[in-house]
Amino acid sequence: MTILPDGRFVDDAPYETDTGAEARHAELDMSNTRLLWLRFKQHRLGLISALFLLISYLSLPFAGFISPYTPNERLEDYLYAPPQLVRLFHDGKLVGPYVYGTTAEMDLETFSWKYVPDTSTPMKLKFFCEGSDYKLSGFIPSNTHLFCAPEGATVFLLGADRLGRDVFSRILYGAQLSLTVGLVGITVSFVIGIILGSIAGYFGGFLDWIINRVIEILRSLPELPLWLALSAAVPSHWGPVAVFFIISIILGILDWPGLARAVRSKFLSLREEEFVRAAEMMGAKPSRVISKHLLPNFLSHLIASATLSIPAMILGETALSFLGLGLRAPAVSWGVMLNDAQNLASIEIYWWTAIPMLPIVIVVLAFNFFGDGLRDALDPNRS
């Protein structure tokens, strides 16, 4: 510190900018999208889960290409075949991706099939090969697969089920229905919940009373028995596509009351704000006030709620299919696959038939982590 002749004090230290103030100022100048992205990146689990879910959904149209078999393709000589290990080295030499051929034998002590590998001859996998016919993205005929089993061998990465069908291929095909049912169900739930919640919160009065009574009645009913009753009413002769959409609509119809109440409570607090009154005085119609002024104010809350509601839809479809009241064979979903693994004695011997539980657990956790990260990033009170 230096004292000048006129008595003023001057600091000799070099000038340093206030980096914290500059960072705060830069944050204020950012767009909402960029600010949301910067906050969301700090939630590592949420970011990893978002990338995993993005890859999972983008790969759904290519399930037939990635799978070595079609979902209902049966290999009668390989019932309950165990998972096979893909190896690279044989006798210390690099051979490339290969498997060993297996021979089925009946174990007379446990009365179960055992498969003995022939370790003397490595059989290399084929890539970008021709196999069973399928439809890419559901409508483009193709028979090209990413990899195939060599002649005289199989490639069961996760084993085979009681009919000799590849579990790995069925999990990939099952993801197409199990992951899509959540999106369809949440769309139905959001459309009903936002419309009825907006009407109840904005107009109030008799409409509000009627909608609230309907919500209370639906929320008072036990969820699982109601699922079972509605699913049991679906005709058994309907095709897999029709049953899929009916199950999705049932899940969406039973999920909307919670969202409708959240929308109603938000509308009750926002409809008295000055910007809403100003829009009404300028002649804006109720539909414009709701869509342009009220809904955008808590759209972030709705998005976070959607990501946290999708896992419940997936678990609902899995539970119904597991109990035999949801999707049915020949449709393939994770719940349908678990329906074939209800025999505990069979699971004890052929444990790989219960592997479809793993993608269900992983996807549900990923959605929850993603929803938590999105909710934290959208929180206006978060520093």
Side-chain angles (χ1 to χ4, degrees), residues 201-216:
Y202 184 76
F203 294 103
F206 181 71
L207 289 175
D208 183 25
W209 186 87
I210 289 293
I211 293 174
N212 270 291
R213 300 295 80 76
V214 174
I215 291 174
E216 289 172 0

Side-chain angles (χ1 to χ4, degrees), residues 279-299:
E280 293 173 344
M281 292 177 65
M282 293 176 67
K285 296 182 179 179
S287 59
R288 180 174 179 82
V289 174
I290 292 174
S291 61
K292 299 294 183 181
H293 299 281
L294 292 176
L295 281 178
N297 273 278
F298 64 106
L299 189 61

Side-chain angles (χ1 to χ4, degrees), residues 71-72 161 165 170-171 173-178 238-245 247 317 321 326-340:
N72 293 310
D161 63 7
R165 299 171 297 189
R170 288 175 63 80
I171 285 177
Y173 276 96
Q176 293 179 322
L177 291 182
S178 293
W238 281 14
V241 176
V243 174
F244 166 75
F245 280 105
I247 294 299
E317 181 277 325
S321 299
L327 297 170
R328 307 179 184 94
V332 182
S333 73
W334 294 339
V336 173
M337 294 181 67
L338 288 178
N339 180 263
D340 294 334

Side-chain angles (χ1 to χ4, degrees), residues 74-349:
R74 298 176 56 183
L75 282 76
E76 291 82 357
D77 295 333
Y78 296 93
L79 309 182
Y80 285 124
Q84 293 177 266
L85 181 63
V86 177
R87 297 173 170 86
L88 297 176
F89 295 90
H90 179 71
D91 291 338
K93 296 180 181 180
L94 178 62
V95 178
Y98 72 90
V99 293
Y100 290 127
T102 56
T103 304
E105 295 181 357
M106 173 61 75
D107 188 339
L108 298 179
E109 293 183 1
T110 61
F111 294 101
S112 61
W113 287 104
K114 288 192 175 181
Y115 293 85
V116 181
D118 179 10
T119 57
S120 62
T121 306
M123 309 183 76
K124 296 182 64 174
L125 299 180
K126 297 184 293 184
F127 291 92
F128 298 99
C129 46
E130 293 185 357
S132 302
D133 294 333
Y134 65 92
K135 289 187 177 181
L136 190 67
S137 301
F139 59 90
I140 304 176
S142 177
N143 63 350
T144 302
H145 296 260
L146 177 61
F147 64 98
C148 303
E151 294 293 337
T154 58
V155 54
F156 294 135
L157 299 181
L158 299 178
D161 63 7
R162 61 186 179 87
L163 297 178
R165 299 171 297 189
D166 180 35
V167 174
F168 173 74
S169 299
R170 288 175 63 80
I171 285 177
L172 292 181
Y173 276 96
Q176 293 179 322
L177 291 182
S178 293
L179 293 182
T180 309
V181 70
L183 299 182
V184 177
I186 204 65
T187 301
V188 174
S189 173
F190 259 52
V191 170
I192 299 175
I194 290 177
I195 292 176
L196 296 183
S198 301
I199 293 174
Y202 184 76
F203 294 103
F206 181 71
L207 289 175
D208 183 25
W209 186 87
I210 289 293
I211 293 174
N212 270 291
R213 300 295 80 76
V214 174
I215 291 174
E216 289 172 0
I217 291 173
L218 287 177
R219 292 178 69 92
S220 66
L221 298 174
E223 193 172 58
L224 184 58
L226 190 59
W227 279 356
L228 298 178
L230 293 176
S231 300
V234 178
S236 58
H237 63 274
W238 281 14
V241 176
V243 174
F244 166 75
F245 280 105
I246 289 296
I247 294 299
S248 302
I249 292 172
I250 289 174
L251 295 174
I253 288 176
L254 298 183
D255 188 67
W256 69 265
L259 177 64
R261 276 199 165 178
V263 173
R264 173 184 175 273
S265 62
K266 197 69 177 178
F267 269 46
L268 289 175
S269 61
L270 288 176
R271 71 180 184 180
E272 304 299 333
E273 295 289 336
E274 294 181 0
F275 68 92
V276 177
R277 293 300 184 191
E280 293 173 344
M281 292 177 65
M282 293 176 67
K285 296 182 179 179
S287 59
R288 180 174 179 82
V289 174
I290 292 174
S291 61
K292 299 294 183 181
H293 299 281
L294 292 176
L295 281 178
N297 273 278
F298 64 106
L299 189 61
S300 58
H301 170 76
L302 297 179
I303 295 173
S305 298
T307 58
L308 294 172
S309 298
I310 291 176
M313 302 282 183
I314 295 174
L315 291 175
E317 181 277 325
T318 302
L320 291 176
S321 299
F322 175 75
L323 296 173
L325 295 172
L327 297 170
R328 307 179 184 94
V332 182
S333 73
W334 294 339
V336 173
M337 294 181 67
L338 288 178
N339 180 263
D340 294 334
Q342 292 188 15
N343 191 336
L344 295 179
S346 176
I347 294 177
E348 185 178 358
I349 301 174

